[in-house]
Amino acid sequence: MNAKSKRKGFTTYLLEGLMIFIAVVLGFISENVRQDITAKKMTKEFALSMVEDLKSDTTNLKDYIAYFSLAGKNIDSINRLLLAKELKDIPTGKLYFYGLWGGADRSYVSNDASFQQMKNSGLLQNITNKSLLKKILNYNRLNQELLSEAQRDKLIYVEVRKVRGQIFNYKYNMVANTIVQANRIKLNKQKTDVFLESEPPLLTYDPILFNQYMELVRSRNIKNKVNEAKVLLHEASMLIKELKNQYEK
Protein backbone atom coordinates (compact mmCIF):
# COMPACT_ATOMS: atom_id res chain seq x y z
CA MET A 1 0.00 0.00 0.00
CA ASN A 2 1.50 3.35 -1.06
CA ALA A 3 1.57 6.52 1.09
CA LYS A 4 -1.39 8.01 -0.76
CA SER A 5 -3.59 4.99 0.03
CA LYS A 6 -2.47 5.05 3.67
CA ARG A 7 -3.42 8.74 3.98
CA LYS A 8 -6.79 8.01 2.37
CA GLY A 9 -7.44 5.15 4.76
CA PHE A 10 -6.46 7.26 7.77
CA THR A 11 -8.71 10.12 6.61
CA THR A 12 -11.62 7.69 6.17
CA TYR A 13 -11.16 6.32 9.69
CA LEU A 14 -10.89 9.83 11.06
CA LEU A 15 -14.09 10.93 9.33
CA GLU A 16 -15.91 7.83 10.48
CA GLY A 17 -14.71 8.40 14.03
CA LEU A 18 -15.74 12.05 13.85
CA MET A 19 -19.17 11.11 12.56
CA ILE A 20 -19.62 8.59 15.37
CA PHE A 21 -18.50 11.22 17.89
CA ILE A 22 -20.93 13.79 16.46
CA ALA A 23 -23.73 11.21 16.48
CA VAL A 24 -23.05 10.39 20.14
CA VAL A 25 -22.92 14.08 21.10
CA LEU A 26 -26.12 14.85 19.20
CA GLY A 27 -27.78 11.82 20.78
CA PHE A 28 -26.66 13.01 24.20
CA ILE A 29 -27.94 16.54 23.53
CA SER A 30 -31.19 15.17 22.12
CA GLU A 31 -31.72 12.98 25.20
CA ASN A 32 -31.02 15.92 27.52
CA VAL A 33 -33.46 18.09 25.58
CA ARG A 34 -36.06 15.32 25.70
CA GLN A 35 -35.58 14.87 29.46
CA ASP A 36 -35.74 18.62 29.99
CA ILE A 37 -38.98 18.88 28.04
CA THR A 38 -40.43 15.91 29.96
CA ALA A 39 -39.35 17.38 33.31
CA LYS A 40 -40.88 20.76 32.47
CA LYS A 41 -44.10 19.07 31.39
CA MET A 42 -44.24 17.02 34.59
CA THR A 43 -43.41 20.09 36.69
CA LYS A 44 -46.30 21.95 35.10
CA GLU A 45 -48.67 19.03 35.68
CA PHE A 46 -47.67 18.71 39.33
CA ALA A 47 -47.84 22.49 39.83
CA LEU A 48 -51.42 22.58 38.52
CA SER A 49 -52.21 19.52 40.63
CA MET A 50 -50.83 21.45 43.60
CA VAL A 51 -53.36 24.19 42.82
CA GLU A 52 -56.15 21.65 43.30
CA ASP A 53 -54.56 20.49 46.57
CA LEU A 54 -54.41 24.09 47.75
CA LYS A 55 -58.06 24.62 46.86
CA SER A 56 -58.89 21.64 49.05
CA ASP A 57 -56.76 23.15 51.82
CA THR A 58 -58.56 26.49 51.64
CA THR A 59 -61.96 24.78 51.95
CA ASN A 60 -60.80 22.79 54.99
CA LEU A 61 -59.09 25.81 56.54
CA LYS A 62 -62.24 27.93 56.26
CA ASP A 63 -64.21 25.24 58.07
CA TYR A 64 -61.44 24.90 60.67
CA ILE A 65 -61.36 28.67 61.26
CA ALA A 66 -65.15 28.95 61.53
CA TYR A 67 -65.33 26.06 64.00
CA PHE A 68 -62.58 27.24 66.33
CA SER A 69 -63.71 30.88 66.08
CA LEU A 70 -67.08 29.76 67.43
CA ALA A 71 -65.35 27.64 70.07
CA GLY A 72 -63.29 30.65 71.14
CA LYS A 73 -66.38 32.85 71.52
CA ASN A 74 -68.13 30.26 73.69
CA ILE A 75 -65.01 29.74 75.82
CA ASP A 76 -64.87 33.52 76.29
CA SER A 77 -68.51 33.38 77.42
CA ILE A 78 -67.93 30.83 80.20
CA ASN A 79 -64.76 32.66 81.22
CA ARG A 80 -66.66 35.94 81.61
CA LEU A 81 -69.40 34.21 83.62
CA LEU A 82 -66.93 32.62 86.02
CA LEU A 83 -65.07 35.91 86.49
CA ALA A 84 -68.24 37.93 87.08
CA LYS A 85 -70.33 35.65 89.28
CA GLU A 86 -70.17 32.95 91.90
CA LEU A 87 -70.64 29.45 90.53
CA LYS A 88 -73.99 28.90 92.28
CA ASP A 89 -75.36 32.13 90.79
CA ILE A 90 -74.81 31.00 87.18
CA PRO A 91 -77.55 28.98 85.43
CA THR A 92 -76.01 25.53 84.99
CA GLY A 93 -77.42 25.41 81.47
CA LYS A 94 -74.93 28.16 80.55
CA LEU A 95 -72.09 26.29 82.22
CA TYR A 96 -72.96 23.14 80.27
CA PHE A 97 -73.46 24.91 76.94
CA TYR A 98 -70.40 27.16 77.03
CA GLY A 99 -68.27 24.68 78.96
CA LEU A 100 -68.85 22.07 76.29
CA TRP A 101 -66.57 24.04 73.94
CA GLY A 102 -63.50 23.53 76.07
CA GLY A 103 -63.37 20.11 74.48
CA ALA A 104 -63.73 21.45 70.93
CA ASP A 105 -61.91 19.22 68.49
CA ARG A 106 -61.40 19.65 64.76
CA SER A 107 -58.45 18.32 62.77
CA TYR A 108 -56.81 19.84 59.73
CA VAL A 109 -54.16 18.11 57.64
CA SER A 110 -52.84 19.72 54.48
CA ASN A 111 -53.42 17.89 51.22
CA ASP A 112 -49.74 17.90 50.21
CA ALA A 113 -49.68 14.90 47.85
CA SER A 114 -48.46 16.91 44.84
CA PHE A 115 -45.81 18.73 46.89
CA GLN A 116 -44.47 15.45 48.27
CA GLN A 117 -44.33 13.90 44.79
CA MET A 118 -42.43 16.89 43.44
CA LYS A 119 -40.08 16.82 46.41
CA ASN A 120 -39.38 13.08 46.18
CA SER A 121 -38.91 13.15 42.39
CA GLY A 122 -36.59 16.16 42.47
CA LEU A 123 -38.95 18.23 40.33
CA LEU A 124 -39.02 21.10 42.82
CA GLN A 125 -35.65 22.20 41.43
CA ASN A 126 -37.35 22.79 38.07
CA ILE A 127 -39.35 25.66 39.54
CA THR A 128 -37.12 28.42 38.24
CA ASN A 129 -39.10 31.19 39.92
CA LYS A 130 -37.16 31.27 43.19
CA SER A 131 -39.69 33.51 44.91
CA LEU A 132 -42.46 31.04 44.10
CA LEU A 133 -40.36 28.09 45.27
CA LYS A 134 -39.62 29.89 48.54
CA LYS A 135 -43.34 30.44 49.13
CA ILE A 136 -44.12 26.79 48.41
CA LEU A 137 -41.50 25.65 50.92
CA ASN A 138 -42.69 28.21 53.47
CA TYR A 139 -46.29 27.04 53.08
CA ASN A 140 -45.19 23.47 53.76
CA ARG A 141 -43.25 24.64 56.81
CA LEU A 142 -46.28 26.47 58.22
CA ASN A 143 -48.40 23.35 57.74
CA GLN A 144 -45.86 21.27 59.61
CA GLU A 145 -45.85 23.78 62.46
CA LEU A 146 -49.65 23.66 62.69
CA LEU A 147 -49.52 19.87 62.69
CA SER A 148 -46.96 19.89 65.51
CA GLU A 149 -49.16 22.31 67.46
CA ALA A 150 -52.17 20.02 66.94
CA GLN A 151 -50.22 17.06 68.31
CA ARG A 152 -49.25 19.06 71.39
CA ASP A 153 -52.83 20.24 71.84
CA LYS A 154 -54.13 16.66 71.62
CA LEU A 155 -52.39 15.84 74.89
CA ILE A 156 -54.06 18.79 76.62
CA TYR A 157 -57.39 17.97 74.97
CA VAL A 158 -57.38 14.52 76.58
CA GLU A 159 -56.84 16.10 80.01
CA VAL A 160 -59.62 18.63 79.33
CA ARG A 161 -62.07 15.83 78.62
CA LYS A 162 -61.05 14.00 81.79
CA VAL A 163 -61.65 17.00 84.03
CA ARG A 164 -64.84 17.93 82.16
CA GLY A 165 -66.12 14.44 82.94
CA GLN A 166 -65.69 15.17 86.65
CA ILE A 167 -67.77 18.36 86.48
CA PHE A 168 -70.46 17.84 83.88
CA ASN A 169 -72.95 14.99 83.60
CA TYR A 170 -72.53 13.16 80.31
CA LYS A 171 -76.30 13.03 79.76
CA TYR A 172 -76.69 16.82 79.76
CA ASN A 173 -73.51 17.28 77.76
CA MET A 174 -75.19 15.20 75.07
CA VAL A 175 -78.27 17.46 75.18
CA ALA A 176 -76.10 20.55 74.80
CA ASN A 177 -74.09 18.94 71.99
CA THR A 178 -77.29 17.99 70.12
CA ILE A 179 -78.38 21.65 70.19
CA VAL A 180 -74.93 22.79 69.02
CA GLN A 181 -74.93 20.36 66.09
CA ALA A 182 -78.47 21.31 65.08
CA ASN A 183 -77.57 25.01 65.22
CA ARG A 184 -74.78 24.40 62.69
CA ILE A 185 -77.48 23.47 60.19
CA LYS A 186 -80.10 25.99 61.26
CA LEU A 187 -80.02 28.20 64.34
CA ASN A 188 -82.81 27.49 66.82
CA LYS A 189 -82.44 30.45 69.16
CA GLN A 190 -85.49 29.63 71.23
CA LYS A 191 -84.32 26.09 72.00
CA THR A 192 -80.82 27.36 72.75
CA ASP A 193 -82.08 30.07 75.10
CA VAL A 194 -84.32 27.62 76.95
CA PHE A 195 -81.35 25.33 77.59
CA LEU A 196 -79.11 28.24 78.64
CA GLU A 197 -81.58 29.22 81.35
CA SER A 198 -82.21 25.65 82.48
CA GLU A 199 -80.68 24.04 85.58
CA PRO A 200 -79.33 20.58 84.74
CA PRO A 201 -77.38 19.28 87.76
CA LEU A 202 -73.61 19.44 87.85
CA LEU A 203 -71.56 16.58 89.27
CA THR A 204 -69.67 19.06 91.44
CA TYR A 205 -69.32 22.75 92.30
CA ASP A 206 -65.74 22.23 93.42
CA PRO A 207 -63.93 25.49 92.54
CA ILE A 208 -60.59 23.69 92.32
CA LEU A 209 -61.89 21.42 89.56
CA PHE A 210 -63.45 24.36 87.72
CA ASN A 211 -60.18 26.24 88.02
CA GLN A 212 -58.24 23.22 86.71
CA TYR A 213 -60.67 22.88 83.82
CA MET A 214 -60.41 26.51 82.77
CA GLU A 215 -56.61 26.51 83.05
CA LEU A 216 -56.42 23.48 80.79
CA VAL A 217 -58.81 25.09 78.31
CA ARG A 218 -56.75 28.28 78.35
CA SER A 219 -53.61 26.24 77.65
CA ARG A 220 -55.13 25.01 74.40
CA ASN A 221 -54.69 28.50 72.87
CA ILE A 222 -57.83 28.23 70.74
CA LYS A 223 -57.45 31.78 69.42
CA ASN A 224 -53.88 31.01 68.38
CA LYS A 225 -55.20 28.08 66.33
CA VAL A 226 -57.49 30.46 64.49
CA ASN A 227 -54.72 33.00 63.85
CA GLU A 228 -52.31 30.36 62.52
CA ALA A 229 -55.00 28.93 60.26
CA LYS A 230 -55.79 32.41 58.91
CA VAL A 231 -52.13 32.89 58.00
CA LEU A 232 -52.16 29.52 56.22
CA LEU A 233 -55.37 30.40 54.38
CA HIS A 234 -53.82 33.65 53.15
CA GLU A 235 -50.64 31.86 52.02
CA ALA A 236 -52.65 29.15 50.24
CA SER A 237 -54.74 31.74 48.40
CA MET A 238 -51.63 33.63 47.27
CA LEU A 239 -49.95 30.41 46.15
CA ILE A 240 -52.95 29.43 44.05
CA LYS A 241 -52.74 32.75 42.18
CA GLU A 242 -48.98 32.56 41.63
CA LEU A 243 -48.99 28.93 40.49
CA LYS A 244 -51.80 29.63 38.05
CA ASN A 245 -50.01 32.72 36.71
CA GLN A 246 -46.81 30.73 36.26
CA TYR A 247 -48.15 27.48 34.82
CA GLU A 248 -51.72 27.94 33.60
CA LYS A 249 -50.73 29.01 30.06
Side-chain angles (χ1 to χ4, degrees), residues 56-84:
S56 174
D57 280 1
T58 58
T59 298
N60 293 332
L61 281 166
K62 287 175 183 177
D63 180 69
Y64 183 92
I65 290 167
Y67 177 80
F68 276 115
S69 293
L70 181 58
K73 289 178 182 178
N74 283 285
I75 290 168
D76 284 346
S77 293
I78 189 173
N79 191 50
R80 285 195 298 270
L81 284 171
L82 292 171
L83 288 173

CSV table of all heavy atoms in Angstrom, one decimal, residues 56-84:
chain,number,residue,atom,x,y,z
A,56,SER,N,-58.4,22.5,48.0
A,56,SER,CA,-58.9,21.6,49.0
A,56,SER,C,-58.5,22.1,50.4
A,56,SER,O,-59.3,22.2,51.4
A,56,SER,CB,-58.3,20.2,48.8
A,56,SER,OG,-58.7,19.4,49.9
A,57,ASP,N,-57.2,22.6,50.5
A,57,ASP,CA,-56.8,23.2,51.8
A,57,ASP,C,-57.6,24.4,52.2
A,57,ASP,O,-57.9,24.5,53.4
A,57,ASP,CB,-55.3,23.5,51.7
A,57,ASP,CG,-54.3,22.4,51.8
A,57,ASP,OD1,-54.8,21.2,52.0
A,57,ASP,OD2,-53.1,22.6,51.8
A,58,THR,N,-57.8,25.3,51.3
A,58,THR,CA,-58.6,26.5,51.6
A,58,THR,C,-60.0,26.2,52.1
A,58,THR,O,-60.5,26.8,53.1
A,58,THR,CB,-58.6,27.5,50.4
A,58,THR,OG1,-59.3,26.8,49.3
A,58,THR,CG2,-57.3,27.9,50.0
A,59,THR,N,-60.6,25.2,51.5
A,59,THR,CA,-62.0,24.8,52.0
A,59,THR,C,-61.9,24.3,53.4
A,59,THR,O,-62.7,24.6,54.2
A,59,THR,CB,-62.5,23.7,51.0
A,59,THR,OG1,-62.7,24.2,49.7
A,59,THR,CG2,-63.9,23.2,51.5
A,60,ASN,N,-60.9,23.4,53.6
A,60,ASN,CA,-60.8,22.8,55.0
A,60,ASN,C,-60.4,23.8,56.0
A,60,ASN,O,-60.8,23.8,57.2
A,60,ASN,CB,-59.8,21.7,55.0
A,60,ASN,CG,-60.3,20.5,54.1
A,60,ASN,OD1,-61.5,20.2,54.0
A,60,ASN,ND2,-59.4,19.7,53.6
A,61,LEU,N,-59.5,24.8,55.6
A,61,LEU,CA,-59.1,25.8,56.5
A,61,LEU,C,-60.2,26.7,56.9
A,61,LEU,O,-60.4,27.2,58.1
A,61,LEU,CB,-57.9,26.6,55.9
A,61,LEU,CG,-56.6,25.9,56.0
A,61,LEU,CD1,-55.6,26.7,55.0
A,61,LEU,CD2,-56.0,25.9,57.4
A,62,LYS,N,-61.1,27.1,56.0
A,62,LYS,CA,-62.2,27.9,56.3
A,62,LYS,C,-63.2,27.3,57.3
A,62,LYS,O,-63.7,27.9,58.2
A,62,LYS,CB,-63.0,28.3,55.0
A,62,LYS,CG,-62.3,29.2,54.1
A,62,LYS,CD,-63.0,29.4,52.7
A,62,LYS,CE,-62.2,30.4,51.8
A,62,LYS,NZ,-62.9,30.5,50.5
A,63,ASP,N,-63.4,26.0,57.1
A,63,ASP,CA,-64.2,25.2,58.1
A,63,ASP,C,-63.5,25.2,59.4
A,63,ASP,O,-64.2,25.4,60.5
A,63,ASP,CB,-64.5,23.8,57.5
A,63,ASP,CG,-65.3,23.0,58.5
A,63,ASP,OD1,-66.5,23.3,58.6
A,63,ASP,OD2,-64.8,22.0,59.1
A,64,TYR,N,-62.2,25.0,59.4
A,64,TYR,CA,-61.4,24.9,60.7
A,64,TYR,C,-61.5,26.2,61.4
A,64,TYR,O,-61.7,26.3,62.6
A,64,TYR,CB,-60.0,24.6,60.3
A,64,TYR,CG,-59.0,24.4,61.4
A,64,TYR,CD1,-58.8,23.1,62.0
A,64,TYR,CD2,-58.3,25.5,61.9
A,64,TYR,CE1,-57.8,23.0,63.0
A,64,TYR,CE2,-57.3,25.3,62.9
A,64,TYR,CZ,-57.1,24.1,63.4
A,64,TYR,OH,-56.2,23.9,64.4
A,65,ILE,N,-61.3,27.3,60.7
A,65,ILE,CA,-61.4,28.7,61.3
A,65,ILE,C,-62.7,29.0,61.8
A,65,ILE,O,-62.9,29.5,62.9
A,65,ILE,CB,-61.0,29.7,60.2
A,65,ILE,CG1,-59.5,29.6,59.9
A,65,ILE,CG2,-61.2,31.1,60.7
A,65,ILE,CD1,-59.0,30.3,58.7
A,66,ALA,N,-63.8,28.7,61.1
A,66,ALA,CA,-65.1,28.9,61.5
A,66,ALA,C,-65.5,28.2,62.8
A,66,ALA,O,-66.0,28.7,63.8
A,66,ALA,CB,-66.1,28.6,60.4
A,67,TYR,N,-65.0,26.9,62.8
A,67,TYR,CA,-65.3,26.1,64.0
A,67,TYR,C,-64.6,26.6,65.2
A,67,TYR,O,-65.2,26.8,66.3
A,67,TYR,CB,-64.9,24.6,63.7
A,67,TYR,CG,-65.1,23.7,64.9
A,67,TYR,CD1,-66.3,23.1,65.1
A,67,TYR,CD2,-64.0,23.3,65.7
A,67,TYR,CE1,-66.5,22.3,66.2
A,67,TYR,CE2,-64.2,22.4,66.7
A,67,TYR,CZ,-65.4,21.9,67.0
A,67,TYR,OH,-65.6,21.1,68.1
A,68,PHE,N,-63.3,26.8,65.1
A,68,PHE,CA,-62.6,27.2,66.3
A,68,PHE,C,-62.8,28.7,66.7
A,68,PHE,O,-62.7,29.1,67.9
A,68,PHE,CB,-61.1,27.0,66.2
A,68,PHE,CG,-60.7,25.6,66.5
A,68,PHE,CD1,-60.2,24.7,65.5
A,68,PHE,CD2,-60.8,25.1,67.8
A,68,PHE,CE1,-59.9,23.4,65.8
A,68,PHE,CE2,-60.5,23.8,68.1
A,68,PHE,CZ,-60.0,22.9,67.1
A,69,SER,N,-63.3,29.5,65.7
A,69,SER,CA,-63.7,30.9,66.1
A,69,SER,C,-64.9,30.8,67.0
A,69,SER,O,-65.0,31.6,68.0
A,69,SER,CB,-64.0,31.7,64.8
A,69,SER,OG,-62.8,31.9,64.1
A,70,LEU,N,-65.9,29.9,66.6
A,70,LEU,CA,-67.1,29.8,67.4
A,70,LEU,C,-66.7,29.2,68.8
A,70,LEU,O,-67.3,29.6,69.8
A,70,LEU,CB,-68.1,28.8,66.7
A,70,LEU,CG,-69.4,28.6,67.4
A,70,LEU,CD1,-70.2,29.9,67.7
A,70,LEU,CD2,-70.2,27.6,66.6
A,71,ALA,N,-65.8,28.2,68.8
A,71,ALA,CA,-65.3,27.6,70.1
A,71,ALA,C,-64.7,28.7,71.0
A,71,ALA,O,-65.0,28.8,72.2
A,71,ALA,CB,-64.3,26.5,69.8
A,72,GLY,N,-63.9,29.6,70.4
A,72,GLY,CA,-63.3,30.6,71.1
A,72,GLY,C,-64.3,31.6,71.8
A,72,GLY,O,-64.1,32.0,72.9
A,73,LYS,N,-65.3,31.9,71.0
A,73,LYS,CA,-66.4,32.8,71.5
A,73,LYS,C,-67.1,32.2,72.7
A,73,LYS,O,-67.4,32.9,73.7
A,73,LYS,CB,-67.4,33.2,70.4
A,73,LYS,CG,-66.8,34.1,69.3
A,73,LYS,CD,-67.8,34.4,68.2
A,73,LYS,CE,-67.2,35.2,67.1
A,73,LYS,NZ,-68.2,35.5,66.0
A,74,ASN,N,-67.4,30.9,72.6
A,74,ASN,CA,-68.1,30.3,73.7
A,74,ASN,C,-67.2,30.1,74.9
A,74,ASN,O,-67.7,30.2,76.0
A,74,ASN,CB,-68.7,28.9,73.2
A,74,ASN,CG,-69.9,29.1,72.3
A,74,ASN,OD1,-71.0,29.3,72.8
A,74,ASN,ND2,-69.7,28.9,71.0
A,75,ILE,N,-66.0,29.8,74.7
A,75,ILE,CA,-65.0,29.7,75.8
A,75,ILE,C,-64.9,31.1,76.5
A,75,ILE,O,-64.8,31.2,77.7
A,75,ILE,CB,-63.6,29.2,75.3
A,75,ILE,CG1,-63.7,27.8,74.9
A,75,ILE,CG2,-62.6,29.4,76.4
A,75,ILE,CD1,-62.5,27.2,74.2
A,76,ASP,N,-64.9,32.2,75.7
A,76,ASP,CA,-64.9,33.5,76.3
A,76,ASP,C,-66.1,33.8,77.1
A,76,ASP,O,-66.1,34.4,78.2
A,76,ASP,CB,-64.8,34.6,75.2
A,76,ASP,CG,-63.4,34.7,74.6
A,76,ASP,OD1,-62.5,34.2,75.2
A,76,ASP,OD2,-63.3,35.3,73.5
A,77,SER,N,-67.3,33.2,76.7
A,77,SER,CA,-68.5,33.4,77.4
A,77,SER,C,-68.5,32.7,78.8
A,77,SER,O,-68.8,33.3,79.8
A,77,SER,CB,-69.7,32.8,76.6
A,77,SER,OG,-69.9,33.5,75.4
A,78,ILE,N,-68.0,31.5,78.9
A,78,ILE,CA,-67.9,30.8,80.2
A,78,ILE,C,-66.9,31.5,81.1
A,78,ILE,O,-67.0,31.6,82.3
A,78,ILE,CB,-67.7,29.3,80.1
A,78,ILE,CG1,-67.8,28.7,81.5
A,78,ILE,CG2,-66.3,29.0,79.5
A,78,ILE,CD1,-67.8,27.1,81.4
A,79,ASN,N,-65.8,32.0,80.5
A,79,ASN,CA,-64.8,32.7,81.2
A,79,ASN,C,-65.3,33.9,81.8
A,79,ASN,O,-65.0,34.2,83.0
A,79,ASN,CB,-63.6,33.0,80.3
A,79,ASN,CG,-62.4,33.4,81.1
A,79,ASN,OD1,-61.9,32.8,82.0
A,79,ASN,ND2,-61.8,34.6,80.6
A,80,ARG,N,-66.1,34.7,81.1
A,80,ARG,CA,-66.7,35.9,81.6
A,80,ARG,C,-67.6,35.6,82.7
A,80,ARG,O,-67.7,36.4,83.7
A,80,ARG,CB,-67.4,36.7,80.5
A,80,ARG,CG,-66.4,37.4,79.5
A,80,ARG,CD,-67.2,38.5,78.7
A,80,ARG,NE,-68.2,37.8,77.9
A,80,ARG,CZ,-67.9,37.4,76.6
A,80,ARG,NH1,-66.7,37.5,76.1
A,80,ARG,NH2,-68.9,36.8,75.9
A,81,LEU,N,-68.4,34.6,82.6
A,81,LEU,CA,-69.4,34.2,83.6
A,81,LEU,C,-68.7,33.9,84.9
A,81,LEU,O,-69.1,34.3,86.0
A,81,LEU,CB,-70.2,33.0,83.1
A,81,LEU,CG,-71.3,33.3,82.1
A,81,LEU,CD1,-71.9,32.0,81.6
A,81,LEU,CD2,-72.5,34.1,82.8
A,82,LEU,N,-67.6,33.1,84.8
A,82,LEU,CA,-66.9,32.6,86.0
A,82,LEU,C,-66.2,33.8,86.7
A,82,LEU,O,-66.0,33.8,87.9
A,82,LEU,CB,-66.0,31.5,85.7
A,82,LEU,CG,-66.6,30.2,85.2
A,82,LEU,CD1,-65.6,29.2,84.7
A,82,LEU,CD2,-67.4,29.5,86.4
A,83,LEU,N,-65.8,34.7,85.9
A,83,LEU,CA,-65.1,35.9,86.5
A,83,LEU,C,-66.1,36.9,87.1
A,83,LEU,O,-65.7,37.6,88.1
A,83,LEU,CB,-64.3,36.6,85.4
A,83,LEU,CG,-63.0,35.9,84.9
A,83,LEU,CD1,-62.4,36.7,83.7
A,83,LEU,CD2,-62.0,35.8,86.0
A,84,ALA,N,-67.3,36.9,86.6
A,84,ALA,CA,-68.2,37.9,87.1
A,84,ALA,C,-69.1,37.5,88.2
A,84,ALA,O,-69.6,38.3,89.0
A,84,ALA,CB,-69.1,38.4,85.9
